[in-house]
Amino acid sequence: MSLIGSEATFIAVLAPFAAAIVAPTLTRLLAHNAAWPLALVPAAIFLFFAGLVPEVAGGVSFTPMVDWAPSYGVTFSFFVDGLSTLFALLISGIGTFIILYSGGYLKGHPQQGRFFSFMFLFMGAMLGLVLGNDLITLFIFWELTSITSFLLIGFDHLRAASRRAAIQALVVTGGGGLSLLAGFLVIMAVTGEANMSAVLASGDTLRDSGLYALILVLVLGGAFTKSAQFPFHFWLPNAMEAPTPVSAFLHSATMVKAGVYLLMRMHPVLGDTALWTTILPVFGGATLLVGTILAVRQTDLKLMLAYTTVASLGLLVMLTGTSWEKAIEGAALYLLAHSLFKGALFMVAGTIDHEAGTRDITRLGGLRKAMPITFAAACLAALSMSGLPPFVGFIAKEYLYTGIWGGAGANYALTATAVLGNALMLVIAAAVALKPFLGPKVETPKHAHEGPVLLYAGPVVLSLVGLASALLAHDTGVLVIGPVVSSILGVPSTVDVHLVPTHIGAALYLSLGTIALGVVLFLRLDALRAGTAGLLTAIGWGPDKGFDQVIAGIVSFSAWVTRTVQGGRMEVYMTMTFLITAAALLVPMTVAGTWPTSFAMPGFRFYEWGVLAIAAAGLVAVLIARTRLTAIVSLGIQGFAVALIFMLFGAPDLSFTQFMVETLSVVILALVMTRLNLQPRDHRPMMARLCHSAIALAIGVGFAGLLIQITSAPFDRRLSDFFEAYSRTIAHGRNIVNVILVDFRGFDTLGEISVVMITGLCVLALIRVRPKRSAEEALDLAAGDEAVRKREEARV
Amino acid sequence: MEATVSVLIGLFFAVAIYLLMSRQLVRILLGIAILGNAVNLLIFTSGRLLREVPPIIPEALQVPGETIANPLPQALILTAIVISFSFLAFLLVLAFRAYQELGTDDTNEMRVAEPTGDVRPPQGY
Amino acid sequence: MRTVIFRTIAPYLAALMVLFSVFVLLRGHNEPGGGFIGGLIAASALAIYGIACGVAAVRRAITLHPMSLSAAGLLMSALSGLVSLFTGQPFMTSQWWYVRLFGVEVPLSTPMIFDIGVYLVVVGSIGSIALALEERESD
């Protein structure tokens, strides 16, 4: 049955991209019902990866591969093991219900097809990210998720808040992506491997490398921004501007987990060092606390969930950062649990918003009768989030407490952080699941009733899976969690998962303590909210505001640079250009001390001196000409002198051409200049004249010196010899110059005659195109037709 | 021999660039015309100078019998002459049309496309 | 400029120059000359004729618009490079045929066709620029 090593994996990753192409057309045909056929795509992908589970659980990893850019050693290859399979299952499984949910949520939206398209693009990018084996492939999919999430967050692009959130997410995660790329490049340089599977097999190479700290910081720069770790957490809540299906998909199970995925993936080679076990728990723990505290303050359902997502990501990073086996087991379980309950709760929040018209928790209540199915799903998911039995969230908490408590070192601080964080998460879970549904009926903007099946299918199924995976704890452990833990630790390991704790220990007491603390806090939620709100107002400034200031600063700075560098004055541009040219000519020669020292007086014949003198005289005459005729004639003189120089030094072709060109130049100059005034005097002020003369002289001296230097060096005749030897023998022509033009370098000439023709066309266009009004009148027109009419009258 | 011509080429460059830095279109055009010659001569001279032996193989021979002038820079310059001429024509017409539309040949007065006043960059998203 | 003498001589002068330009073009492969120089001479002929007898007369004389000549030349040059594809050689490899016409061996080649294309491009473009500028005199 082994499809696994074949191209099937490629098809699985590329299928969402294909779906993205057909989605708009399908939506045009079927309207929102297009969700049903479209959902078959992720469902099929889910079934495919589900079929791989037994083999992967048997400890087999696969790396199918095709060449992508062979000259750079980049392959398009995928790595299927426990960790990537779990992620692929979550992406495609939750994705199936998200697609269905989008069908209901955006029913009748004019851009629903585009929305499906973006969703599938994102899904494909995400699958590519978690399955990517080649580091460059992985990076490209990583950035693709940033770009597609930009499109999704900014989907409602007519609102400024959406645009801001989209740009913020792109800047933060895209910037982190660059850091990640740098990290990957260093990893490739250190290990000499381009594939993740090979890097993972490199053992302690990275840890023992002198560049370990650099690699770790760069990789963490990517992972922390993507997974919204403090202080980069601010983009995630802002991204709630997106339609709810986007939040449910990106910010629960997929996009933001990419950073966690990367940390888990690299753990075997980067983890378990002093640096790792310091940085990750500190940042993760801080994120957990900041996330939960900020969540308590909110009254918007989606924002509450968003901040608990930040907190959960912090918890995952903290657990991964301990590198303790039991904590890793807890992280793997929590990863599964969080994806299921958070996806479900986001969809519940969206359904409430969709049906009741608001998601402000203070304006909701008593919906249990109107929306019984949604209420049931919300309760199931919230129980899992609270960590109560018999849900997978409970098991996860048992394991992570066991892991932290059982470890060594700073476990008291970690335990306290985890208990407080989990208790606050229980508060939020209870608030989200209970407040809108219980209590007296509150009047909502829309008359609330149960949504269509498209809307409740997702929450119900996901929360039931959360229940089922706990009830079938043993199978979950063998098939899913064990392979994941093996991947994270880098050694084959089996995890025995039990729903019922095997012994009464610290973990159970901690769990009970968490629940008790949570319930107490929940009962005082309003006071808690007021307290945190007061605290945050007192601080007043956060990274979110800082982002705005940074962006405004960049805009102002670039505007300043543009104004300074491009003042819009031709004279200044010219002067700057030539000043730099002069420096480029003179400075290297001065620094390297290669100024020509000797000047050999040549044995010129008298007529040769004459030609040179005519050229010089022509130039000076152009410079001092006071009438246009003098200027044109002088220009002609220097041109004909150049033609004579060509003639004297064995270039008859050039000489003829130059003669013809100078004749034509004089003709057309005479034709045009009869219309243009040549000011009798150069009306530059004396200072400018002196300055410009100095620059011009410097460049003149520079070129003369350069040329003397070049010509006093021995001449490399190889190219000329080639043309001389083969002009007649191969190309059958005796005029070597012409043979070079039309035969040896014919392709160049083809380009050059194209340029000649294009200038001809441009000249014609310039002469033909005549605006109907003069510029002055056009300005008047802009000021108002009235002015023009007055002018017309005045003329009459 | 090259050294003397080099000095002349320096003069070509100096005159061309002095004219280019002017604000009057006519002087700029004259500068461009001279600059073209300056660059052509620069290429020509850097390929070394040799008197009066054109790069043409005699009828009776398959390869040149004696030392001939370097054909390569000549081939480069031949097209350059024609192209710089067509560009000169283009610029001439451009200058003329600008003069017709704007009524001035001073580049400082040809700033109709430049923003006026204190221009603030767009803020926000 | 439009003196009687000039106007009388100009057509003959222009005709001679065009003839000379073709001569220069065809001998270009072996003697000084070639498409660029030939084209410039012919363009000057058009310019002189235009100055003497008016642009309308030139346009009548050449029937085609000069830019059409130019375009035809560019096409010709590009196509001459494609001939080598039929012999399985890279683009623009030169091909030679020796044809006997009236007892004389005439060498024909793709570089010659290419050079004729260059000639037409230069005549067309430069001539068109010159004529367009001369036309400005009259309006």
Side-chain angles (χ1 to χ4, degrees):
Chain A
M1 103 112 226
S2 184
L3 276 169
I4 198 165
S6 68
E7 285 75 25
T9 319
F10 290 94
I11 297 171
V13 173
L14 295 179
F17 292 104
I21 296 171
V22 299
T25 318
L26 211 55
T27 312
R28 208 166 297 137
L29 294 175
L30 300 176
H32 68 280
N33 285 319
W36 294 106
L38 286 173
L40 292 176
V41 174
I45 299 171
F46 178 83
L47 290 178
F48 168 72
F49 283 106
L52 300 185
V53 165
E55 279 187 78
V56 171
V60 192
S61 310
F62 302 91
T63 53
M65 177 192 297
V66 290
D67 279 342
W68 188 3
S71 49
Y72 294 102
V74 178
T75 54
F76 198 60
S77 59
F78 295 117
F79 183 33
V80 185
D81 71 342
L83 187 61
S84 49
T85 308
L86 172 63
F87 268 97
L89 285 173
L90 287 174
I91 293 162
S92 54
I94 296 179
T96 307
F97 293 103
I98 295 289
I99 294 296
L100 291 178
Y101 187 80
S102 312
Y105 192 82
L106 287 171
K107 181 178 172 182
H109 192 287
Q111 302 295 350
Q112 196 177 22
R114 181 191 292 177
F115 184 80
F116 280 132
S117 209
F118 289 168
M119 273 300 207
F120 277 113
L121 284 178
F122 173 77
M123 194 188 290
M126 201 60 216
L127 279 174
L129 194 168
V130 296
L131 292 166
N133 184 28
D134 183 90
L135 291 179
I136 299 299
T137 313
L138 200 160
F139 166 75
I140 287 171
F141 281 114
W142 179 281
E143 290 294 59
L144 207 53
T145 59
S146 294
I147 294 168
T148 45
S149 66
F150 168 78
L151 294 173
L152 285 168
I153 296 168
F155 180 70
D156 196 3
H157 58 90
L158 295 178
R159 285 189 305 119
S162 276
R163 295 197 296 272
R164 173 172 183 268
I167 291 172
Q168 195 176 51
L170 185 69
V171 168
V172 174
T173 60
L178 289 182
S179 162
L180 182 68
L181 176 64
F184 278 171
L185 292 178
V186 181
I187 289 175
M188 284 158 84
V190 170
T191 59
E193 299 288 352
N195 284 334
M196 186 60 90
S197 48
V199 170
L200 292 180
S202 69
D204 283 335
T205 315
L206 288 175
R207 273 187 289 258
D208 295 341
S209 151
L211 295 169
Y212 172 75
L214 177 68
I215 294 172
L216 187 64
V217 167
L218 289 172
V219 170
L220 291 184
F224 280 8
T225 48
K226 200 78 161 183
S227 280
Q229 295 300 296
F230 182 82
F232 304 113
H233 65 281
F234 55 90
W235 71 266
L236 196 149
N238 286 337
M240 292 302 121
E241 294 294 338
T244 306
V246 178
S247 317
F249 197 35
L250 267 68
H251 303 131
S252 58
T254 55
M255 165 93 167
V256 296
K257 291 270 172 65
V260 173
Y261 165 78
L262 187 73
L263 295 178
M264 290 178 165
R265 172 56 83 212
M266 305 293 287
H267 181 262
V269 283
L270 289 180
D272 212 2
T273 61
L275 213 52
W276 176 279
T277 53
T278 311
I279 297 179
L280 267 70
V282 166
F283 276 90
T287 310
L288 174 60
L289 289 181
V290 168
T292 45
I293 290 168
L294 289 172
V296 168
R297 181 216 182 169
Q298 302 297 329
T299 58
D300 181 313
L301 286 176
K302 268 175 82 177
L303 284 175
M304 292 165 81
L305 291 173
Y307 280 110
T308 56
T309 301
V310 173
S312 301
L313 294 167
L315 180 60
L316 284 170
V317 169
M318 185 174 101
L319 293 172
T320 312
T322 59
S323 292
W324 297 322
E325 187 176 345
K326 285 287 174 195
I328 299 283
E329 288 172 9
L333 279 161
Y334 192 77
L335 177 72
L336 174 67
H338 176 256
S339 300
L340 293 170
F341 69 67
K342 196 53 73 64
L345 283 177
F346 262 119
M347 285 194 257
V348 166
T351 308
I352 294 172
D353 187 17
H354 196 257
E355 298 303 328
T358 180
R359 47 175 203 255
D360 188 333
I361 206 162
T362 57
R363 294 170 62 197
L364 287 165
L367 290 175
R368 68 185 177 283
K369 287 232 173 64
M371 307 170 78
I373 304 177
T374 311
F375 177 46
C379 285
L380 292 179
L383 286 172
S384 186
M385 180 170 169
S386 311
L388 291 174
F391 290 90
V392 68
F394 168 73
I395 307 179
K397 203 152 60 177
E398 287 298 301
Y399 272 78
L400 73 90
Y401 281 145
T402 313
I404 297 174
W405 193 253
N411 48 13
Y412 292 113
L414 291 185
T415 308
T417 310
V419 168
L420 182 58
N422 275 324
L424 286 170
M425 262 195 268
L426 184 147
V427 173
I428 302 297
V432 170
L434 301 181
K435 283 267 175 174
F437 296 102
L438 298 183
K441 184 103 177 76
V442 176
E443 204 50 47
T444 51
K446 279 208 251 176
H447 179 68
H449 54 81
E450 191 62 74
V453 63
L454 283 169
L455 287 187
Y456 65 69
V460 168
V461 173
L462 291 184
S463 51
L464 286 177
V465 171
L467 178 62
S469 54
L471 295 178
L472 303 170
H474 180 70
D475 294 321
T476 309
V478 172
L479 290 175
V480 180
I481 304 303
V484 171
V485 173
S486 309
S487 296
I488 301 173
L489 292 176
V491 286
S493 40
T494 51
V495 182
D496 197 10
V497 179
H498 299 279
L499 175 57
V500 183
T502 43
H503 65 282
I504 309 295
L508 193 61
Y509 295 130
L510 286 170
S511 256
L512 291 175
T514 308
I515 294 166
L517 182 61
V519 171
V520 170
L521 291 175
F522 177 65
L523 295 176
R524 302 191 166 274
L525 179 58
D526 289 331
L528 199 60
R529 182 181 298 144
T532 48
L535 177 69
L536 292 170
T537 319
I539 298 172
W541 193 90
D544 191 29
K545 214 169 171 185
F547 176 82
D548 276 344
Q549 285 168 350
V550 168
I551 294 290
I554 291 172
V555 170
S556 303
F557 177 71
S558 50
W560 176 80
V561 168
T562 310
R563 271 201 309 275
T564 314
V565 178
Q566 295 198 335
R569 287 189 188 279
M570 178 85 164
E571 205 186 349
V572 181
Y573 296 164
M574 286 289 189
T575 313
M576 291 315 286
T577 308
F578 291 130
L579 210 56
I580 289 164
T581 311
L585 283 168
L586 298 180
V587 172
M589 274 199 280
T590 312
V591 171
T594 51
W595 277 101
T597 45
S598 62
F599 186 86
M601 267 321 264
F604 271 144
R605 294 163 199 165
F606 74 95
Y607 58 85
E608 288 167 342
W609 281 115
V611 170
L612 299 187
I614 294 171
L619 288 172
V620 174
V622 174
L623 213 52
I624 58 172
R626 300 219 168 164
T627 64
R628 8 172 225 266
L629 197 64
T630 324
I632 295 170
V633 171
S634 318
L635 189 71
I637 289 173
Q638 62 82 31
F640 289 122
V642 171
L644 284 173
I645 293 174
F646 287 145
M647 182 64 98
L648 289 177
F649 295 105
D653 284 306
L654 292 190
S655 186
F656 289 160
T657 313
Q658 179 78 18
F659 268 120
M660 295 314 303
V661 160
E662 283 309 325
T663 314
L664 279 168
S665 295
V666 169
V667 170
I668 65 164
L669 276 169
L671 286 172
V672 172
M673 282 216 190
T674 46
R675 303 292 182 75
L676 281 175
N677 288 326
L678 178 60
Q679 296 287 325
R681 300 186 62 82
D682 200 348
H683 63 188
R684 286 178 254 193
M686 201 47 168
M687 201 48 219
R689 278 206 230 180
L690 284 177
C691 190
H692 290 171
S693 312
I695 295 171
L697 275 177
I699 291 182
V701 170
F703 272 112
L706 181 71
L707 200 50
I708 292 172
Q709 194 59 31
I710 288 172
T711 49
S712 58
F715 182 49
D716 182 351
R717 282 196 62 89
R718 274 176 297 175
L719 270 178
S720 307
D721 285 341
F722 169 86
F723 291 122
E724 283 168 17
Y726 295 110
S727 173
R728 181 116 198 235
T729 46
I730 289 182
H732 313 288
R734 293 192 290 110
N735 180 355
I736 302 174
V737 176
N738 188 265
V739 170
I740 293 175
L741 280 178
V742 299
D743 201 333
F744 287 124
R745 310 290 310 154
F747 203 34
D748 283 356
T749 311
L750 187 64
E752 278 149 6
I753 56 177
S754 310
V755 173
V756 170
M757 184 171 153
I758 288 165
T759 51
L761 284 173
C762 292
V763 168
L764 278 194
L766 266 178
I767 290 176
R768 291 272 167 79
V769 175
R770 316 232 118 222
K772 294 207 173 81
R773 291 177 200 83
S774 72
E776 200 185 350
E777 280 166 330
L779 285 177
D780 282 357
L781 190 68
D785 289 343
E786 192 62 29
V788 174
R789 210 177 305 135
K790 274 181 189 160
R791 271 172 77 99
E792 299 291 319
E793 282 165 7
R795 253 180 223 163
V796 173
Chain B
M1 194 150 60
E2 282 92 354
T4 315
V5 180
S6 301
V7 172
L8 181 69
I9 292 168
L11 180 66
F12 267 86
F13 271 104
V15 171
I17 282 158
Y18 181 74
L19 288 169
L20 277 173
M21 281 186 287
S22 166
R23 291 197 331 235
Q24 288 167 281
L25 282 183
V26 174
R27 282 184 206 279
I28 293 174
L29 285 171
L30 293 172
I32 288 168
I34 295 173
L35 190 65
N37 284 337
V39 173
N40 287 342
L41 280 176
L42 181 80
I43 297 171
F44 189 65
T45 311
S46 60
R48 305 300 186 274
L49 300 177
L50 193 74
R51 281 199 188 95
E52 289 158 5
V53 193
I56 290 174
I57 303 167
E59 188 86 55
L61 298 175
Q62 287 293 315
V63 290
E66 51 182 333
T67 315
I68 55 169
N70 191 352
L72 187 58
Q74 296 191 22
L76 295 176
I77 296 166
L78 191 69
T79 50
I81 293 174
V82 178
I83 287 183
S84 59
F85 169 69
S86 54
F87 266 108
L88 179 67
F90 171 71
L91 289 172
L92 200 62
V93 174
L94 187 64
F96 178 58
R97 294 285 294 120
Y99 178 70
Q100 273 189 325
E101 294 296 328
L102 303 171
T104 176
D105 70 337
D106 187 328
T107 54
N108 266 0
E109 289 163 29
M110 297 179 138
R111 303 176 75 246
V112 282
E114 296 295 329
T116 49
D118 183 26
V119 189
R120 303 232 140 251
Q123 292 287 353
Y125 296 89
Chain C
M1 293 275 264
R2 296 193 180 179
T3 60
V4 179
I5 299 174
F6 188 44
R7 261 156 68 184
T8 317
I9 295 176
Y12 301 104
L13 186 64
L16 267 176
M17 283 174 79
V18 171
L19 202 62
F20 181 64
S21 75
V22 174
F23 166 70
V24 167
L25 159 70
L26 292 181
R27 73 173 211 151
H29 216 54
N30 292 319
E31 302 293 335
F36 280 104
I37 307 173
L40 284 169
I41 295 172
S44 313
L46 295 184
I48 288 174
Y49 192 29
I51 290 171
C53 306
V55 175
V58 183
R59 293 206 193 276
R60 270 199 307 280
I62 58 174
T63 46
L64 290 170
H65 191 282
M67 280 323 284
S68 317
L69 279 182
S70 190
L74 190 58
L75 186 68
M76 203 165 157
S77 294
L79 289 182
S80 78
L82 289 177
V83 175
S84 60
L85 296 188
F86 293 103
T87 62
Q89 288 165 301
F91 181 62
M92 283 204 154
T93 311
S94 59
Q95 307 293 320
W96 289 78
W97 305 275
Y98 293 93
V99 187
R100 288 197 79 80
L101 280 174
F102 311 112
V104 183
E105 195 180 56
V106 180
L108 293 178
S109 63
T110 52
M112 194 176 84
I113 299 172
F114 183 87
D115 216 10
I116 296 171
V118 172
Y119 171 87
L120 289 177
V121 170
V122 175
V123 179
S125 302
I126 308 288
S128 152
I129 293 172
L131 290 183
L133 287 173
E134 283 165 15
E135 230 163 6
R136 310 239 10 90
E137 294 261 273
S138 52
D139 65 29

